[in-house]
Amino acid sequence: MRDLKTKIKKFNFLKSKIKKNILIIGSGRWSKITVSEISKNFKYVKIFVFTRKKAQFLTWSKQKKIEIILISRLEEIKNYNITHAIVINKNRDHFNYAKKLLKMKVNTLVEKPIVENLSHFNKLYNISKKNRVNLLVSLPYFHAMYFHYYKKFFIKEKITSINFFWTDALAEIKYGYKKKHQKINYLIDVIYHIHSIVSVFIKKANISYNKNFLKVKNNFYKVQYNKIPTEIFCKRNEKKRSRILSFSLSSGKKVKIDFTNNNLSKVLVQGRKPIKCPQVFQNLTLAHQIFHFLNINKYEQMIFNDVRYLKNFLFTKFQIQKNL
C-alpha cells in the first residue's frame, strides 16, 4: 500500500506546480467535467476553450466560478503558447480537429473513440510520428487507484478467466449531467475501458478474438487477453447502471470488483465478506490522467495511453468493429 500512497502524495504535491496552457475542444457534458477537474486540481493551468456554443459555455463557467478563455480560431493557439489540447467534441469531428492540432505540434489527447475508422487513425498516427508530437487516447480507468489497490492485495495468483458486466441506465444523470450516447456500437464504446482496466491486472495485455465467436448473443461478447478468456456483457438503457469485474484465479477462487460507484468501489473474495477500498484510493481517475498528460513535454515520453503503446489494441479494435 505504501507505493500507492506515495503516488498519491506525489500527485498532490506536484499538481499545483504545473504551469501550462491547455485547450479544450467541445462543450458537452464530458467537456464540462474535464474543465471542472482541471480547475479543481491544477491551479496554475490556464484553460482555453474552443466551441461553437460560446455563450452557453461562458454562462456555465461563470456559474461554477471557473476561469476560462474562449478562442474563436485554432490559429490563436500560437498567441497563447498552448502546448496541450483535449478533443472532447462529437465523434465525427475528432479526426479533423486532432489532425489540425498535431500539425500545429500540440500534444493531443482525444476522447474515445479516437476516430471512427482505421484510415483516419493511420493518418493521425503518421502525422504524430512525422511531427514528433504526442497523440493519446482517453483511458482514465487505467489511473483508477482502486484497481491498483485490489491488484496488490487480492489478485496474487494467475488469472484464468475475466468477466465484465457493464450496463448504463436509461436517461442516467452522472456528475449532475444527463448522459447522451452518440451513435456507436456499445461494445466499441466500452472496449476502450475494458482494455485500460485489464491492463492494470495483466502486464502487456494484448487483445485478440475469433470472429466466429465474437458475438455469442445480443449484448454478450467473447475476446481474449494474452489467451485468457474474457467475456463482456454490455447493454445500454438497462434498469440501472452496473460496473462489475470478475476474475477466476488458478486456485479456483473467484474475485469480484464492483466499481459501479467510483467513490465506493468494493471487492468480494470468495469466502470473505465484501471489503471496501480505503477512501484515499477512490475516484481520482480523470485527474490522474490529466496530470500525466500535462507532464508530457517531449515526443520521447510515452505513457500508457499513447497511440504508440496502444497500436495492437487499436488495430484489433478496428477489426472487431468491422466484424460486428
Side-chain angles (χ1 to χ4, degrees), residues 83-294:
T83 57
H84 291 68
I86 304 180
V87 178
I88 329 177
N89 53 2
K90 291 182 179 179
N91 296 345
R92 65 173 181 264
D93 295 327
H94 285 184
F95 172 69
N96 286 331
Y97 283 101
K99 180 175 69 172
K100 290 175 183 178
L101 291 165
L102 292 172
K103 285 185 174 180
M104 297 173 79
K105 297 189 177 182
V106 175
N107 296 307
T108 303
L109 172 65
V110 185
E111 179 56 39
K112 65 172 180 64
I114 180 170
V115 285
E116 295 185 317
N117 60 67
L118 181 58
S119 173
H120 281 172
F121 170 70
N122 282 330
K123 288 177 181 177
L124 292 185
Y125 187 95
N126 290 332
I127 295 170
S128 169
K129 184 178 180 180
K130 178 183 177 182
N131 288 354
R132 297 184 63 77
V133 59
N134 299 78
L135 173 61
L136 290 81
V137 188
S138 179
L139 296 173
Y141 273 113
F142 182 75
H143 301 283
M145 299 301 286
Y146 51 83
F147 285 132
H148 294 273
Y149 171 81
Y150 294 136
K151 175 188 177 183
K152 186 174 181 64
F153 292 99
F154 302 108
I155 316 294
K156 296 182 178 181
E157 304 166 28
K158 183 179 179 181
I159 297 169
T160 57
S161 70
I162 305 170
N163 291 77
F164 283 92
F165 187 84
W166 197 293
T167 63
D168 276 317
L170 180 66
E172 180 183 8
I173 303 295
K174 195 79 167 50
Y175 300 110
Y177 305 101
K178 184 177 179 180
K179 289 185 74 172
K180 293 181 181 179
H181 299 292
Q182 297 187 53
K183 291 183 178 179
I184 179 176
N185 180 284
Y186 196 41
L187 174 66
I188 298 305
D189 190 38
V190 167
I191 205 163
Y192 284 87
H193 293 318
I194 300 294
H195 184 76
S196 63
I197 294 167
V198 170
S199 295
V200 173
F201 296 93
I202 300 175
K203 191 175 181 179
K204 295 183 179 179
N206 284 319
I207 187 173
S208 61
Y209 75 103
N210 183 323
K211 66 179 181 180
N212 296 318
F213 300 102
L214 172 64
K215 188 172 183 178
V216 180
K217 54 185 176 182
N218 286 343
N219 313 117
F220 188 73
Y221 306 89
K222 286 187 176 183
V223 296
Q224 288 187 327
Y225 270 98
N226 296 12
K227 299 184 179 179
I228 299 170
T230 304
E231 298 181 349
I232 305 164
F233 178 87
C234 56
K235 188 178 180 182
R236 281 196 180 118
N237 299 332
E238 269 288 86
K239 291 181 180 179
K240 63 179 182 178
R241 169 189 170 90
S242 296
R243 301 284 188 271
I244 298 172
L245 165 61
S246 301
F247 295 107
S248 292
L249 304 178
S250 55
S251 65
K253 285 185 179 180
K254 295 186 182 297
V255 177
K256 182 168 75 173
I257 300 170
D258 186 339
F259 58 106
T260 303
N261 186 326
N262 276 336
N263 295 305
L264 297 170
S265 70
K266 57 188 176 183
V267 64
L268 177 63
V269 180
Q270 190 174 349
R272 298 174 63 173
K273 291 182 179 180
I275 302 166
K276 290 184 179 179
C277 176
Q279 195 60 43
V280 67
F281 302 127
Q282 301 282 22
N283 208 344
L284 300 174
T285 56
L286 185 58
H288 275 260
Q289 174 171 269
I290 295 168
F291 173 77
H292 289 289
F293 175 53
L294 288 172

